[in-house]
Every structure is written in structure tokens, then in C-alpha cells.
Amino acid sequence: QSVLTQPPSVSGAPGQRVTISCTGNSSNIGADSVVHWYQQLPGTAPKLLIYGYNNRPSGVPDRFSGSKSGTSASLAITGLLAEDEADYYCQSYDSSLRAYVFGGGTKVTVL
Amino acid sequence: QVQLVESGGGVVQPGRSLRLSCAASGITFSRYGMHWVRQTPGKGLEWVALISYDGTDQYYANSVKGRFTISRDNSKNTLYLHMNSLRAEDTALYYCAKAPGGGTRVFFDAWGQGTLVTVSS
């Protein structure tokens, strides 16, 4: 069971907007630990998608955005494309565990 | 372009040892903290260990503390993970990952392709 909780799956039609939640607690996201997001395409390693809540590495389209509220963070994908079909993971730091922690991952399906 | 290439995975019996390596290129290796992260179908991604840029500090997940040792050789641009007393639950795909910063704000901006460790009798 992961420290950060994500929905197992979300889906949307091409062009739609989907959001993925990442829920933590007062030892991680609620303690102002920064949240980062990764995209993992089938058969490949995770790739950094968003860092520091809402910063995109070079090459990541602005269709991807992040936000935080309280003990939760969210990743939004607008203008959904078939190529966005992948697993998405959130990551933060837990001060109680003294460890970097991940969410369980969310599979995005483009209908 | 950053390239991280892991090796050393394989099938090993419970209680035995294994050493993973990660060869880095395309970066000034000695400037960055490096991590091992593992992935299993059932448990997803799990951070395993961190070593500081100069090798003086190491940190471990509770699940591997006392059994795994992370080390690096900056002259060879190589990261290592020495795994002792292996258990079935250590079965996973092991990634090395580069972190541009340190402390609580760490994120992983480059990953290897992973090396598979299977612990089974």
C-alpha cells in the first residue's frame, strides 16, 4: 500500500480534460513537501513530467499542469491525446518515514 | 544527453547477495546525488536508497536498511547497490535515477532502463 493515494484509473475522450489526484497527509504533502509527477509509457522507465508542483521540464507540453491544495495534489491533462495513454505517478518526501514516497500510480485510458 | 545503464540483475536464491551497477554518461556524475528506485507490479514504485554527490552520505528505505549498501565510484562514473540477505519481496525492476537537487525537494530527472532482480529458490 502506497503512502500517497492515487485513483487506479481515469479515462477520457480525445480532447477532454482529465485530472489525477494524489492524496497524502501531514507528514508529506501537508507538511509542504513538494510534489512531482512522472509519466510511464508501457515498457519504459518513468519520465519526469512535472516538478515542484507545476514546473515542466523542457519538451513537456503545457497540456500538463500540476497543483496542490492542503494534503493533496493534482495533475491535469487538457486536450487529451492518444499518446497520453500511460501510467502516472506522484512523488514527494515523507518527514515521518524519512523517505521519498510515491503514489500507487494511475492508468490513463484514452477512449 | 544523459544515459544511465543498469546491469547486474538476475535470479538469486533467498538469503544470497547481488551487486547492481549503473554506468552514467552525458553528465558530470560527481555533481549529483544518485538514487536507486525499484518497481514491482504489486507495489508500484518504491524509493530504495540515496547517495550524496561525493559519496559521504547514504540514506535507505526502512525495508532495505541493514541489508543493502549504496556506493559510487566517481572516477568510473558508476553507481552501485550491494544487496545482501535477499528476500522474495526484493524481487523487482531496479532503476538508478539522477536527482538534480537534494534534501526534501528531490525529484528524479533521469532514469535508466532498469535491471530485473528475481529472488526465488
Side-chain angles (χ1 to χ4, degrees), chain A residues 4-7 19-23 29 34-40 46-57 60 64-68 72-77 87-92 102-106 108, chain B residues 45 106-109 111:
Chain A
L4 304 178
T5 301
Q6 298 180 233
T19 61
I20 300 170
S21 60
C22 174
T23 302
I29 300 175
V34 185
V35 178
H36 319 288
W37 292 90
Y38 302 86
Q39 178 192 60
Q40 186 173 33
K47 168 194 161 186
L48 180 65
L49 193 66
I50 296 281
Y51 64 96
Y53 293 123
N54 194 23
N55 298 290
R56 289 181 305 278
V60 174
F64 295 92
S65 63
S67 63
K68 178 214 168 181
S72 293
S74 293
L75 173 71
I77 310 173
D87 293 325
Y88 293 82
Y89 294 89
C90 58
Q91 176 248 314
S92 186
F102 289 89
T106 298
V108 169
Chain B
L45 291 166
V106 157
F107 57 89
F108 310 109
D109 66 348
W111 300 65

Side-chain angles (χ1 to χ4, degrees), chain A residues 98 100, chain B residues 34-35 47-61 65 68-72 79-81:
Chain A
R98 296 186 181 182
Y100 303 98
Chain B
M34 295 294 296
H35 299 247
W47 172 77
V48 173
L50 149 70
I51 188 166
S52 60
Y53 70 99
D54 59 359
T56 56
D57 297 309
Q58 303 88 34
Y59 302 91
Y60 299 93
K65 200 171 295 183
F68 289 13
T69 301
I70 188 172
S71 63
R72 65 192 297 161
L79 174 73
Y80 302 101
L81 185 67

